[in-house]
Amino acid sequence: MTGFSANELEMLAQKAARGGGAYPAQAAHFGRAFVRHVAAGRPLAPVLAALEALPLGPIQTLPFAPDGSALGQSYAEACAAPGEGPILPPRLTCPADVHARLTALAQRILVPQSAASRQAGAGAGLTDND
């Protein structure tokens, strides 16, 4: 288990949901719910099951109708008004196997580097002045 900031885990979970086929808004909700889930020390099996169910399943439906499950409770906390949920600790721990699964799904949204993609103009090129 390694320590991560809440923002790191939220963005990784959001990208993983997108990599699994979730819509952008549902992926954003999942990222926030994942952080609440980890911070509360809830079991991670429902999270992994939800990721495996993509592009359907709870990640697509729980933002609209949280149920009484542990993952549903995390969604309810994530969707609460700012300042109403529990305060998150400065660092969160995420088991290595869960982090690896999130990373593998998140990598699906990236384009592999190749000469053809560079010739097509992908990437920042020699300068990145954003």
Side-chain angles (χ1 to χ4, degrees):
M1 291 193 187
T2 307
F4 299 95
S5 72
N7 188 52
E8 285 176 295
L9 284 181
E10 180 179 337
M11 291 298 107
L12 180 60
Q14 181 176 339
K15 290 175 185 177
R18 286 291 295 138
Y23 294 113
Q26 280 79 3
H29 287 301
F30 176 72
R32 288 190 296 277
F34 178 76
V35 168
R36 297 292 179 180
H37 201 82
V38 170
R42 295 182 181 117
L44 295 175
V47 170
L48 294 174
L51 286 168
E52 293 302 320
L54 283 170
L56 304 172
I59 292 176
Q60 301 289 46
T61 59
L62 280 176
F64 305 110
D67 57 17
S69 67
L71 187 55
Q73 185 177 357
S74 298
Y75 267 94
E77 290 173 5
C79 295
E84 288 187 13
I87 296 174
L88 296 173
R91 303 294 286 176
L92 298 169
T93 56
C94 182
D97 61 326
V98 174
H99 190 268
R101 182 65 185 137
L102 292 172
T103 301
L105 283 169
Q107 288 179 344
R108 289 184 181 177
I109 65 172
L110 302 175
V111 176
Q113 180 180 342
S114 68
S117 65
R118 286 286 179 196
Q119 285 180 337
L126 297 176
T127 62
D128 187 5
N129 59 3
D130 289 347

